[in-house]
Amino acid sequence: MDGWWSLGGALFLLIATLLTLYFYKINWIKDLRLEGNGKKVLANHLDSKKRKLGKLPPVYPNGWFALLESYQLGKKEVKHVAALGQNFAIYRTDNGTVRILDAYCPHLGANMAEGGRVKGDCLECPFHGWQFRGSDGQCAYIPYADKIPHIAKTKTWKCCEANEIIFVWYHAEGLQPHWEPQTISQVSTRAWRYRGRNEFLINCHIQEVAENGADLAHLSAVHGPPIFSSKVTNYLSSFARHSWSNVNWTPHNSYLEFQESEDTGSKKPDGENLRHRAYMTLRHRLILFEKFKVMHLDVDVQQVGPGYVELMMHTPLGSMCIFQTVTPMEPLLQKVTHVMYSPRYLAPYASMLFLGECLMFERDVAIWNRKKFEKQPLLVKEDKSILAYRRWYAQFYSQHSLSYHSAMRSLQW
């Protein structure tokens, strides 16, 4: 049996590697995105208008959200991003520091991210040349005025860079951040290299994307059939399927209690400061002919706040990671990206796994684009992790978090 397993596994890996190299050659894996497919995005958007929305939670949770990837913003470059009901002017100074200001100049409303210039720590408005400091938003220079009014100031946004991603802090009450996304050492030291990215525009509520992690039962139903087109799947499903086991979703405080029970001598860390985290584990196997198990993959997932997920994947050949970001571009329009990193020697294998992840994720997207949000879902006891997830996610809403209808009114002139 071991010989047959080795032969079957080796043959599968050979075929998968050849397919991966083919797709890699035509640059499909390097940048898999749906944003450029205008017809598909428009069709999904129109379909979403026909469905029932349900009683939605607030549409913009409090937390850190990705606006750009680091490579997209060079020194002395400024970009405009509309997200979270805001318009951001994001720029990088000469020394590499990222700053974020409100995009609209308080003088006469010009968009400073469209044609604005970076001058030291300041962003210069293209309309009249007013310059605003990125550190505090104060106007530092007006080319034709002898005196600068003390009220000449624009809003600044807290930002940070981690894992080659630029994040902004959003909070409906204006509170300061008490946590930040942390950089993975293998990425910061470049021990792991970039292997590809994808980008999706999804018509759903932001809470529903991460809820998949706690919806354990959907794994077999949605992600059990093999990763091929639907026409081929019906034929292949008779001898190949994906198996998901050891699945568990746990909020941080429950995770601490479990760790303590496993190691009674360990000191309990400060759970209050890490309650924005939740954890998931799962084990993947590809079952061939109901006999051979190949594609061994153990995944440790950390949900960090409402819109950022780190997936650490452990294989017999080594480990790698995927960073998932979810950013509300509009109340029910999410931009989701996945960026993969791996050691250099795992590049072909990592690209193959990334292709599989992209195709699996598309199955979820097809459901999110058309589903209704159920505020009080009909659940069985095996769905208890969904309720735990919703209780955990509720911490990211506060008194003045915008409702769907309020957010939509703010988008309409």
Side-chain angles (χ1 to χ4, degrees):
M1 179 63 72
D2 290 341
W4 278 106
W5 183 92
S6 300
L7 179 60
L11 180 60
F12 175 82
L13 287 177
L14 175 61
I15 295 173
T17 301
L18 291 174
L19 287 172
T20 300
L21 291 174
Y22 170 73
F23 289 124
Y24 193 87
K25 183 178 179 181
I26 64 174
N27 206 38
W28 191 25
I29 290 176
K30 277 291 185 182
D31 195 349
L32 282 160
R33 62 172 71 196
L34 293 185
E35 186 179 32
N37 189 341
K39 291 183 179 179
K40 192 167 187 176
V41 171
L42 179 59
N44 289 335
H45 181 68
L46 293 175
D47 281 347
S48 71
K49 299 294 185 183
K50 304 173 186 175
R51 67 181 175 184
K52 292 183 178 180
L53 297 180
K55 294 182 179 180
L56 297 169
V59 290
Y60 302 139
N62 301 321
W64 291 97
F65 296 93
L67 295 183
L68 292 171
E69 290 160 50
S70 296
Y71 81 91
Q72 295 173 321
L73 191 70
K75 289 184 178 180
K76 302 195 72 173
E77 190 174 6
V78 58
K79 290 198 173 180
H80 173 226
V81 175
L84 296 154
Q86 307 293 328
N87 287 268
F88 302 102
I90 311 165
Y91 65 98
R92 194 184 294 276
T93 65
D94 287 337
N95 63 10
T97 302
V98 175
R99 302 292 196 189
I100 302 180
L101 299 177
D102 187 90
Y104 296 117
C105 179
H107 175 217
L108 282 175
N111 189 328
M112 296 188 291
E114 303 290 349
R117 292 171 290 274
V118 179
K119 299 292 183 73
D121 186 57
C122 293
L123 181 60
E124 182 182 89
C125 176
F127 201 8
H128 297 89
W130 290 34
Q131 296 180 8
F132 296 89
R133 286 196 299 261
S135 57
D136 58 8
Q138 194 69 45
C139 182
Y141 175 68
I142 301 175
Y144 54 87
D146 295 329
K147 184 178 180 181
I148 300 173
H150 71 277
I151 60 172
K153 187 176 182 179
T154 190
K155 181 178 176 60
T156 60
W157 294 85
K158 292 284 185 182
C159 60
C160 70
E161 274 188 278
N163 302 316
E164 302 297 314
I165 301 169
I166 297 171
F167 294 90
V168 68
W169 173 257
Y170 173 89
H171 201 288
E173 316 302 324
L175 300 182
Q176 295 299 303
H178 60 276
W179 58 275
E180 288 187 5
Q182 299 299 307
T183 298
I184 303 297
S185 60
Q186 294 93 328
V187 174
S188 61
T189 61
R190 298 186 64 79
W192 290 359
R193 300 298 182 93
Y194 168 83
R195 298 301 169 209
R197 73 184 295 278
N198 62 35
E199 184 175 305
F200 297 87
L201 289 177
I202 307 173
N203 295 107
C204 72
H205 191 279
I206 181 174
Q207 182 175 314
E208 297 192 278
V209 177
E211 188 166 287
N212 259 21
D215 182 6
L216 313 183
H218 97 285
L219 289 170
S220 296
V222 178
H223 303 295
I227 312 173
F228 297 101
S229 66
S230 57
K231 292 181 180 179
V232 182
T233 298
N234 292 333
Y235 172 72
L236 292 176
S237 59
S238 60
F239 65 86
R241 64 179 176 86
H242 295 277
S243 169
W244 307 92
S245 60
N246 290 24
V247 184
N248 183 53
W249 185 92
T250 312
H252 181 74
N253 290 340
S254 297
Y255 177 78
L256 285 180
E257 293 171 5
F258 172 77
Q259 292 292 90
E260 277 198 317
S261 65
E262 290 290 299
D263 181 10
T264 54
S266 64
K267 182 179 179 181
K268 181 176 179 178
D270 185 358
E272 181 68 20
N273 291 336
L274 294 176
R275 61 191 178 94
H276 61 275
R277 290 179 177 263
Y279 310 90
M280 179 186 180
T281 59
L282 60 91
R283 175 170 296 166
H284 169 269
R285 301 289 186 267
L286 180 62
I287 311 297
L288 301 176
F289 304 105
E290 296 299 327
K291 284 186 178 181
F292 310 114
K293 296 180 180 180
V294 297
M295 293 290 292
H296 292 229
L297 188 66
D298 290 309
V299 186
D300 293 321
V301 182
Q302 284 200 42
Q303 169 87 30
V304 187
Y308 176 58
V309 179
E310 298 173 353
L311 299 94
M312 303 296 295
M313 297 176 291
H314 310 288
T315 78
L317 301 177
S319 298
M320 59 197 80
C321 70
I322 292 178
F323 302 121
Q324 173 184 286
T325 66
V326 187
T327 304
M329 309 306 289
E330 292 181 10
L332 290 183
L333 181 65
Q334 315 304 323
K335 184 176 82 169
V336 179
T337 67
H338 298 96
V339 184
M340 186 169 204
Y341 291 86
S342 81
R344 186 188 301 271
Y345 72 91
L346 279 179
Y349 189 47
S351 295
M352 180 190 66
L353 290 181
F354 189 57
L355 173 61
E357 189 274 342
C358 295
L359 296 176
M360 283 290 190
F361 193 75
E362 285 184 354
R363 299 180 184 182
D364 294 314
V365 173
I367 294 174
W368 288 324
N369 277 335
R370 297 165 179 85
K371 75 182 296 294
K372 168 191 171 186
F373 182 86
E374 288 288 353
K375 184 177 181 180
Q376 295 180 320
L378 178 60
L379 303 175
V380 295
K381 66 177 182 179
E382 288 79 5
D383 294 321
K384 63 182 180 181
S385 57
I386 295 176
L387 290 179
Y389 165 83
R390 292 192 175 192
R391 285 193 294 268
W392 171 82
Y393 203 95
Q395 69 180 294
F396 304 117
Y397 304 127
S398 55
Q399 181 181 358
H400 294 100
S401 294
L402 280 180
S403 68
Y404 170 76
H405 295 291
S406 297
M408 289 301 294
R409 282 197 297 270
S410 68
L411 293 176
Q412 298 169 357
W413 288 52

